[in-house]
Amino acid sequence: MSDQTDISLAFELEDITLLECVYHAEAPIQGRELDRRLLVQNPGKRFSLDVKRRKNVLRANVSVQFGLFDRKEKVNIPDAGLQPLEVVHFGLVAGVVVTAPIMGGEAIAPRHLAGDKTPEAHRDEKMERGMRVEAIKAAYGLATSKLLELSAMSPIGSIMLPLIDTDEIFDDIVRNETEV
């Protein structure tokens, strides 16, 4: 097998930086009926080529916000009216750098693919998706460990982020990007 036709991807997490983190516990969680809310966003992404190292580079910001809300206790918020009390709030922004090898001009594409897109365009879309999903996974992993660390030091006790389907989260992010 020649180097030109080998398109196996090896995503590499080159850097992850905690840019911002917030944790606030408003009230004890014992004895409350709590709802969880989770928001994962990818507000910034920039792709480039590192020709010298023969790598595609993604520099992305990923935001993770998580809250525990009391179903029964309400608070009056200006401009929003009565809202559930947010008992715990956690937010994190991470800067992530993911790389993948530059692929040659050849690409394997299913024969059934028809339309305007070339096999290379399909390959590039799959690579972009894969790199962004990898960035989301890395930032979510950092957020999970950071929330566990911060909550364990508080009187509330250990809180963990829920398990997620990263592909589904990514699809939601892309849907929101196209609606704007």
Side-chain angles (χ1 to χ4, degrees), residues 24 28 42 44 85 99 109 148 167-168:
H24 179 74
N42 181 206
L85 171 67
T99 62
L148 189 57
D167 288 313
E168 187 177 315

Side-chain angles (χ1 to χ4, degrees), residues 4 15 30 33-34 44 47 54 91 93 103 109 112 132 153 157 163 168 172:
Q4 295 175 338
D15 187 43
Q30 287 74 20
E33 291 183 38
L34 298 172
F47 288 92
R54 299 196 40 78
V93 178
M103 296 191 301
H112 69 278
R132 287 183 71 189
M153 290 188 293
L163 296 175
E168 187 177 315
D172 288 343

Side-chain angles (χ1 to χ4, degrees), residues 13-177:
L13 176 64
E14 289 203 358
D15 187 43
I16 186 163
T17 304
L18 178 61
L19 300 175
E20 184 177 346
C21 185
V22 95
Y23 174 78
H24 179 74
E26 183 69 31
I29 61 175
Q30 287 74 20
R32 295 179 184 265
E33 291 183 38
L34 298 172
D35 287 326
R36 299 183 305 187
R37 294 185 191 165
L38 176 69
L39 177 63
V40 179
Q41 297 176 307
N42 181 206
K45 65 183 182 311
R46 188 176 50 123
F47 288 92
S48 61
L49 293 176
D50 184 340
V51 178
K52 191 173 188 177
R53 296 186 315 147
R54 299 196 40 78
K55 291 190 175 201
N56 293 292
V57 180
L58 166 64
R59 295 180 194 303
N61 290 334
V62 178
S63 165
V64 177
Q65 293 188 45
F66 177 74
L68 292 175
F69 293 83
D70 189 324
R71 291 181 190 167
K72 294 180 180 175
E73 192 171 343
K74 306 285 185 196
V75 291
N76 193 9
I77 299 175
D79 301 329
L82 284 178
Q83 298 291 318
L85 171 67
E86 187 172 21
V87 178
V88 173
H89 176 79
F90 171 75
L92 176 139
V93 178
V96 183
V97 178
V98 176
T99 62
I102 293 176
M103 296 191 301
E106 298 178 31
I108 298 170
R111 293 179 184 258
H112 69 278
L113 288 178
D116 298 333
K117 294 184 182 172
T118 64
E120 292 82 8
H122 283 286
R123 175 204 63 206
D124 292 346
E125 284 178 5
K126 293 288 186 192
M127 181 179 292
E128 177 181 334
R129 177 187 180 90
M131 292 175 81
R132 287 183 71 189
V133 165
E134 194 68 25
I136 292 167
K137 285 178 184 177
Y140 197 78
L142 176 63
T144 300
S145 64
K146 188 52 86 175
L147 175 59
L148 189 57
E149 173 190 351
L150 293 172
S151 64
M153 290 188 293
S154 77
I156 287 179
S158 299
I159 300 172
M160 288 195 54
L161 289 176
L163 296 175
I164 60 168
D165 180 344
T166 314
D167 288 313
E168 187 177 315
I169 295 281
F170 176 76
D171 291 340
D172 288 343
I173 289 170
V174 170
R175 235 183 329 274
N176 289 335
E177 288 174 349

